[in-house]
Amino acid sequence: MTVRDILSIGDPRLRQRARDVTTEELGTARVQGLIDDLIATMRHASGAGLAAPQVGEGLRIAVMEVEANERYPYKPRLPLTVAVNPTITVTPDSPTLMVNEGCLSVPLRGDVRRHMDIAVGYLDRHGHRIDRHVTGLTAGTWQHEVDHLDGILFTDRVEDPTTLCTWEEFETHHRRAFIERLRGAGLLGD
Ligand code: NI
């Protein structure tokens, strides 16, 4: 396992559409090693998710995990998920929520409207097909990661650029209001 360098906004590789992984290549040492590297890199950076284009690999693979995460203390737990060739279908009448997002490739946070009720389909790292229903902030995480595979960064989806802020200023000025917004949407306990 290698902790890879994470590309930053402005690197053209973040803007390319990644290609599907074939079932044959999923079993190769190269792709399995890439998956291990993505997990190691995500954990090293304390991220909630990481997509292959963020380490310069144009394959449709994303990893996600939220344990007790200092960077996202308000996020629901998300067991380690390896999503190969993921697709998202928004549930009809899915509610949306303005989610304050960050990204390991972007030094800012900002508010992005995300669907809170989606169906996801993907292959796990062993090539098994999985179809699941995902709700709440975890649904937002899925949309963020699949966007990476399409060359889209969350900044592209920020409707109000005045919500952009550094992590430090988020903590100081905006974190409390965001947590209240989550509570108002029924996404937090008390
Ligand atoms: Ni990201």
Side-chain angles (χ1 to χ4, degrees):
M1 281 197 204
T2 308
V3 172
R4 303 267 201 111
D5 289 336
I6 299 175
L7 309 186
S8 291
I9 183 170
D11 191 307
R13 289 170 288 180
L14 288 170
R15 294 309 195 168
Q16 290 162 5
R17 186 186 154 83
R19 69 164 176 84
D20 278 333
V21 180
T22 66
T23 31
E24 297 73 41
E25 74 187 334
L26 179 53
T28 63
R30 175 178 125 67
V31 171
Q32 291 293 316
L34 170 60
I35 290 169
D36 288 337
D37 289 356
L38 286 170
I39 295 167
T41 304
M42 171 180 66
R43 288 175 173 169
H44 179 78
S46 299
L50 187 68
Q54 291 180 275
V55 299
E57 302 279 355
L59 294 174
R60 298 186 79 78
I61 303 173
V63 299
M64 289 163 268
E65 182 179 47
V66 181
E67 292 292 331
N69 188 323
E70 280 179 27
R71 203 164 153 139
Y72 310 104
Y74 45 81
K75 278 203 160 189
R77 283 196 66 245
L78 166 56
L80 177 64
T81 302
V82 176
V84 178
N85 302 340
T87 59
I88 288 176
T89 307
V90 176
T91 305
D93 302 322
S94 166
T96 63
L97 183 72
M98 280 295 194
V99 179
N100 186 277
E101 292 191 2
C103 177
L104 295 174
S105 295
V106 180
L108 297 174
R109 301 180 60 98
D111 282 355
V112 181
R113 187 174 296 284
R114 295 295 189 187
H115 294 283
M116 291 289 104
D117 195 324
I118 62 174
V120 299
Y122 60 100
L123 302 178
D124 70 13
R125 68 182 300 168
H126 308 294
H128 297 129
R129 171 84 195 177
I130 297 176
D131 291 281
R132 291 199 290 118
H133 187 220
V134 180
T135 60
L137 285 179
T138 304
T141 300
W142 273 87
Q143 288 158 80
H144 179 114
E145 297 309 326
V146 172
D147 271 353
H148 275 301
L149 305 181
D150 292 330
I152 296 167
L153 298 175
F154 83 86
T155 46
D156 305 0
R157 298 197 185 277
V158 170
E159 294 169 23
D160 178 358
T162 69
T163 65
L164 289 167
C165 66
T166 64
W167 282 80
E168 188 178 359
E169 300 306 331
F170 175 75
E171 291 296 326
T172 305
H173 298 291
H174 305 289
R175 186 174 184 277
R176 182 175 305 193
F178 178 48
I179 289 174
E180 282 311 309
R181 199 189 311 160
L182 296 176
R183 185 170 285 121
L187 293 175
L188 290 182
D190 49 19

